[in-house]
Amino acid sequence: QMPVVESGGGSVRPGESLRLSCAGTASVSHIFGRLDIYWYRQAPGKERELVAIGFGNGTINYGDSVKGRFAISRDSAKNTVYLQMNSLKPEDTAAYYCNTRLGVSHDDWGPGTQVTVSP
Protein backbone atom coordinates (compact mmCIF):
# COMPACT_ATOMS: atom_id res chain seq x y z
CA GLN A 1 0.00 0.00 0.00
CA MET A 2 1.25 3.46 -0.90
CA PRO A 3 1.79 5.52 2.26
CA VAL A 4 0.65 8.81 0.67
CA VAL A 5 -1.44 9.78 -2.36
CA GLU A 6 -1.50 13.12 -4.20
CA SER A 7 -4.61 14.78 -5.64
CA GLY A 8 -6.08 18.16 -6.54
CA GLY A 9 -4.46 18.97 -9.85
CA GLY A 10 -6.24 20.81 -12.61
CA SER A 11 -6.01 23.38 -15.37
CA VAL A 12 -5.68 27.08 -14.51
CA ARG A 13 -4.63 30.34 -16.11
CA PRO A 14 -1.37 32.17 -15.28
CA GLY A 15 -1.61 34.05 -12.00
CA GLU A 16 -4.29 31.80 -10.56
CA SER A 17 -3.99 29.45 -7.59
CA LEU A 18 -4.43 25.78 -6.91
CA ARG A 19 -4.16 23.62 -3.79
CA LEU A 20 -2.82 20.09 -3.94
CA SER A 21 -3.40 17.48 -1.26
CA CYS A 22 -1.16 14.69 -0.03
CA ALA A 23 -3.28 12.23 1.92
CA GLY A 24 -1.83 9.63 4.23
CA THR A 25 -3.24 6.16 3.86
CA ALA A 26 -4.13 3.72 6.63
CA SER A 27 -0.58 2.37 6.70
CA VAL A 28 0.71 5.65 8.18
CA SER A 29 -2.35 6.96 10.03
CA HIS A 30 -0.76 6.84 13.46
CA ILE A 31 2.55 8.41 12.45
CA PHE A 32 1.49 10.85 9.73
CA GLY A 33 2.30 13.93 11.77
CA ARG A 34 5.92 12.82 12.05
CA LEU A 35 6.44 11.98 8.38
CA ASP A 36 8.67 14.05 6.14
CA ILE A 37 6.63 14.85 3.04
CA TYR A 38 8.38 15.61 -0.25
CA TRP A 39 6.71 17.39 -3.16
CA TYR A 40 8.22 16.80 -6.61
CA ARG A 41 7.14 17.67 -10.10
CA GLN A 42 8.08 16.42 -13.54
CA ALA A 43 7.29 17.87 -16.95
CA PRO A 44 7.56 15.80 -20.14
CA GLY A 45 11.15 15.48 -21.28
CA LYS A 46 12.51 16.99 -18.06
CA GLU A 47 14.03 15.57 -14.90
CA ARG A 48 12.00 15.25 -11.74
CA GLU A 49 12.37 18.45 -9.71
CA LEU A 50 12.13 18.87 -5.94
CA VAL A 51 9.50 21.52 -5.18
CA ALA A 52 9.20 21.56 -1.40
CA ILE A 53 9.68 19.48 1.74
CA GLY A 54 7.52 19.56 4.83
CA PHE A 55 9.50 17.83 7.57
CA GLY A 56 7.79 16.10 10.44
CA ASN A 57 9.55 18.42 12.88
CA GLY A 58 7.85 21.44 11.30
CA THR A 59 10.71 22.67 9.14
CA ILE A 60 9.75 23.57 5.56
CA ASN A 61 12.09 23.96 2.60
CA TYR A 62 11.16 25.32 -0.84
CA GLY A 63 12.88 25.11 -4.17
CA ASP A 64 14.14 28.41 -5.54
CA SER A 65 11.67 28.35 -8.43
CA VAL A 66 8.64 28.39 -6.09
CA LYS A 67 9.80 30.42 -3.09
CA GLY A 68 7.31 33.14 -2.25
CA ARG A 69 4.58 31.49 -4.31
CA PHE A 70 4.03 28.01 -2.85
CA ALA A 71 3.34 27.07 0.76
CA ILE A 72 3.11 23.77 2.62
CA SER A 73 0.71 23.20 5.48
CA ARG A 74 -0.24 20.11 7.45
CA ASP A 75 -3.49 19.03 9.05
CA SER A 76 -2.48 15.98 11.06
CA ALA A 77 -6.06 15.42 12.24
CA LYS A 78 -6.98 14.80 8.60
CA ASN A 79 -3.72 13.00 7.76
CA THR A 80 -3.17 15.48 4.96
CA VAL A 81 -0.40 17.79 3.81
CA TYR A 82 -1.36 20.60 1.43
CA LEU A 83 0.65 22.42 -1.19
CA GLN A 84 -0.86 25.85 -1.82
CA MET A 85 0.27 27.07 -5.23
CA ASN A 86 -0.18 30.79 -5.90
CA SER A 87 0.79 33.04 -8.80
CA LEU A 88 1.08 30.03 -11.06
CA LYS A 89 3.19 30.28 -14.18
CA PRO A 90 3.22 28.21 -17.38
CA GLU A 91 6.57 26.75 -16.30
CA ASP A 92 4.81 25.24 -13.28
CA THR A 93 3.01 22.88 -15.65
CA ALA A 94 3.95 19.34 -14.65
CA ALA A 95 2.80 16.18 -12.96
CA TYR A 96 3.09 16.71 -9.22
CA TYR A 97 3.95 13.97 -6.74
CA CYS A 98 4.09 13.73 -2.99
CA ASN A 99 6.17 11.07 -1.33
CA THR A 100 7.79 9.95 1.88
CA ARG A 101 11.53 9.93 2.42
CA LEU A 102 11.58 6.17 2.01
CA GLY A 103 9.59 6.34 -1.24
CA VAL A 104 11.96 8.91 -2.69
CA SER A 105 14.96 6.85 -1.65
CA HIS A 106 13.53 3.74 -3.32
CA ASP A 107 12.30 5.62 -6.40
CA ASP A 108 8.77 4.46 -5.64
CA TRP A 109 6.21 6.95 -7.00
CA GLY A 110 2.47 7.21 -7.31
CA PRO A 111 0.60 8.24 -10.47
CA GLY A 112 0.98 11.97 -9.84
CA THR A 113 -1.60 14.71 -10.30
CA GLN A 114 -1.43 16.95 -13.36
CA VAL A 115 -1.18 20.72 -13.07
CA THR A 116 -1.53 22.68 -16.29
CA VAL A 117 -1.05 26.45 -16.43
CA SER A 118 -1.88 28.02 -19.76
CA PRO A 119 -3.64 31.09 -21.17
Side-chain angles (χ1 to χ4, degrees), residues 1-2 6 14-16 18 30-31 33 38-39 56 65 69-70 82 88-89 93 98 100 110 117:
Q1 183 182 23
M2 294 292 295
E6 60 275 336
E16 294 184 338
L18 201 60
H30 299 292
I31 61 169
Y38 295 73
W39 284 98
S65 63
R69 300 189 298 121
F70 290 10
Y82 302 99
L88 284 163
K89 306 174 181 179
T93 296
C98 69
T100 62
V117 185

Side-chain angles (χ1 to χ4, degrees), residues 34-119:
R34 303 196 301 272
L35 286 175
D36 302 333
I37 299 297
Y38 295 73
W39 284 98
Y40 279 80
R41 66 187 182 187
Q42 187 170 31
K46 298 182 179 178
E47 295 183 353
R48 202 188 313 272
E49 175 189 15
L50 180 62
V51 174
I53 311 170
F55 292 98
N57 65 9
T59 301
I60 302 173
N61 290 344
Y62 298 99
D64 288 341
S65 63
V66 306
K67 285 182 178 177
R69 300 189 298 121
F70 290 10
I72 283 178
S73 63
R74 186 185 304 243
D75 187 341
S76 294
K78 296 182 178 180
N79 285 347
T80 302
V81 166
Y82 302 99
L83 182 66
Q84 179 67 43
M85 310 164 68
N86 299 320
S87 301
L88 284 163
K89 306 174 181 179
E91 52 262 43
D92 295 318
T93 296
Y96 283 71
Y97 304 83
C98 69
N99 213 340
T100 62
R101 183 174 63 85
L102 190 63
V104 172
S105 179
H106 289 182
D107 198 26
D108 186 9
W109 304 91
T113 185
Q114 181 67 36
V115 173
T116 301
V117 185
S118 64

